[in-house]
Amino acid sequence: MTGTTRFPEQSALSWRCLPFGALSASSLYRLLRLRSEVFVVEQSCLFLDMDDVDPHCLHVLGEQVSPGAQPSLLAATRLVPPGIAFQEASIGRVVTAPSARGGGLGHVLMSESVRLLLSLWGPQPIRIGAQAHLEHFYRQHGFEPAGRSYVEDGIPHIEMLRH
């Protein structure tokens, strides 16, 4: 699935949703690099990002497309089928590039991810494991605390559910 949104600064942001096996080597590299840049380096969190879940997921990529240049990955999530991370379907590895923050891209990313998940797999609850400090952000997308608080990789998290 593909689509285009005018964002940020009215440049074209292209949305793609691909199964793991359809990611090109270049797209996969950009995805793993962005996740490492944010989750490992920026958040100073040593953890194994490549957790054997990615091959079971669909990957949402928000790329800035400039004529004649390689697309620049600005935002991504993975859509996790039910029964993999939780009993319910899930959205995970929510990430935006540091250079693209502050203009609402995270909200566009979550809206697009929820829309895609529901259009692909039908209406259903979505459970996430959210970093606790982002609870308010996820509440704006219909998620409510629903489960235990826990610490994962040294970071407080909370389970949240969107009905």
Side-chain angles (χ1 to χ4, degrees):
M1 300 187 93
T2 61
T4 302
T5 303
R6 301 305 283 181
F7 189 95
E9 300 173 9
Q10 298 303 311
S11 59
L13 189 67
S14 176
W15 293 101
R16 295 190 297 154
C17 182
L18 301 169
F20 183 79
L23 293 169
S24 69
S26 178
S27 292
L28 179 60
Y29 177 84
R30 286 192 305 274
L31 174 61
L32 296 176
R33 186 181 194 293
L34 176 60
R35 288 179 7 186
S36 292
E37 178 184 358
V38 173
F39 300 138
V40 177
V41 177
E42 181 182 301
Q43 295 180 358
S44 300
C45 183
L46 296 177
F47 81 111
L48 187 58
D49 178 38
M50 289 156 279
D51 58 1
D52 295 325
V53 174
D54 286 314
H56 305 284
C57 299
L58 291 166
H59 298 270
V60 178
L61 309 174
E63 300 167 309
Q64 187 173 21
V65 180
S66 301
Q70 185 81 277
S72 177
L73 182 62
L74 298 181
T77 61
R78 67 182 183 188
L79 306 181
V80 187
I84 303 288
F86 300 105
Q87 180 180 352
E88 302 87 355
S90 183
I91 298 171
R93 297 295 199 263
V94 179
V95 62
T96 57
S99 63
R101 293 187 192 143
L105 179 57
H107 290 290
V108 175
L109 172 64
M110 278 307 295
S111 295
E112 186 69 7
S113 297
V114 167
R115 184 191 70 74
L116 285 165
L117 187 150
L118 296 176
S119 71
L120 289 164
W121 299 332
Q124 62 186 287
I126 303 169
R127 185 175 296 269
I128 62 173
Q131 291 185 5
H133 74 278
L134 294 172
E135 180 180 336
H136 177 72
F137 170 82
Y138 290 112
R139 280 179 178 270
Q140 294 176 65
H141 295 277
F143 291 90
E144 293 295 329
R148 58 184 176 82
S149 297
Y150 58 97
V151 175
E152 183 176 318
D153 300 316
I155 299 171
H157 282 70
I158 185 169
E159 286 187 15
M160 300 184 79
L161 186 65
R162 182 182 193 276
H163 292 280

